[in-house]
Amino acid sequence: MTQPGPLDGLRVLDLATLFAGPLAATMLGDFGAEVIKVEHPRKPDPSRGHGPSKDGVGLWWKLLGRNKRNVTLDLSSPGGREVLLRMAAESDVVIENFRPGTLERWGLGPDELAAANPKLVLARVTGFGQLGPYARRPGFGTLAEAMSGFAAITGEPDGPPTLPPFGLADSIAALSTAYAVMAALAGRERTGRGQVVDMAIIEPILTVLGPQPIWYDQLGYVQPRTGNRSSNNAPRNTYRTADGRWVAVSTSAQSVAERVMRLVGHPEVIDEEWFATGSGRAAHADELDEAVGSWIARHDRDEVVAAFEKAEAAIAPVYDVTDVLADEQYRALGSIAEVPDPELGTVRMQNVLFRLSETPGAIRWAGRPHGADTDAVLAELGLTDEEIADLRRAGAL
């Protein structure tokens, strides 16, 4: 980062683990916020041990922990509580995802934090929210993917409900939490006061699933599993090419659907009455898939993509990560960043989420070792070397 990001001067305390809360803090840090990651002295963030590692260094953490300073603090100890309150007094945002009532039990609930800093925004990210009959249940993204209706509509019609192989609900909740924090900070500009954000992971994924509730409310319609097809338009599917690769085709726009059918040699269907609407085409998905799929199966992937592009029809190759890293469009956008790291050398990871023309975000460093900045951060709070040593002897650090 060669200039201050748009969130420069904002201080965020990240008390959260696995994964929505920490990722929200990462997103704020990417655009210049000073993020201080607070981990337990003897129980580091579990993401440090999730997934593959290299030379004992967790790779997921390098992504999730980027742009964060790292301190250790036992919040359940008297010393840890006092230090956290001192940190909160000089911060703008706290993000936490403990089970409801945990912060209150430690004397660090909303009232105590507001007393330390009336302008503080406290973002509380939990599986089920701070109230209701499920509030105290353990909550993970997988449960949200199941309860939201996502799993019920994902998979083949004759197969089981399908869960995503990555943290989908957590990631959506992270985006929503970052947005909620910015909304709360905007409100603070008018009122001069902070507030509490109650983010339930089961809710953002419910929102992005679209009109299911209103469909059911007004029509009694329950969306079924349709595999890669859509109940709203066709042709829409993945198709195998002659060289054994796969492509995805979408025809949400009527004009694109017409171009596709002309390209694959079946312009006659365009004049059918049913072809004029997305739902009408979806009702004839078997016929359309056969026409499109048989044409694609006779050509190699690169030929298919080139022909669709020439026809101005929407298509994309189905990539794995090796394709993503080699793709010229991702390269043009700078979607993958190379980040110097003292533990692993240069590492590649996803870049910041979007580009700003005047105050861009940046990755300043990858995830740092457990507690790497504890002494420096506490010294900045005014603690002496002896006070820090006493806290460490007491197990608070």
Side-chain angles (χ1 to χ4, degrees), residues 22-82:
L23 183 55
T26 302
M27 292 171 182
L28 298 174
D30 284 350
F31 287 91
E34 178 193 4
V35 180
I36 299 176
K37 172 72 176 181
V38 179
E39 298 178 80
H40 193 281
R42 294 162 293 280
K43 301 174 185 177
D45 188 313
S47 67
R48 291 181 180 272
H50 266 57
S53 62
K54 181 181 179 182
D55 299 332
V57 178
L59 300 179
W60 201 334
W61 170 253
K62 287 296 178 184
L63 173 67
L64 191 63
R66 72 189 192 191
N67 292 336
K68 299 178 183 181
R69 303 173 76 191
N70 284 253
V71 306
T72 58
L73 207 59
D74 183 350
L75 302 181
S76 67
S77 69
R81 174 185 182 275
E82 292 305 315

Side-chain angles (χ1 to χ4, degrees), residues 153-171:
I153 64 170
T154 304
E156 294 300 322
D158 57 351
T162 302
L163 297 167
F166 66 101
L168 176 63
D170 278 310
S171 299

Side-chain angles (χ1 to χ4, degrees), residues 308-339:
F308 268 70
E309 288 184 351
K310 184 177 180 180
E312 298 184 355
I315 192 169
V318 175
Y319 280 174
D320 63 20
V321 68
T322 61
D323 299 308
V324 169
L325 293 177
D327 182 79
E328 60 184 1
Q329 181 62 28
Y330 281 125
R331 286 183 177 178
L333 294 173
S335 304
I336 301 296
E338 294 187 353
V339 183

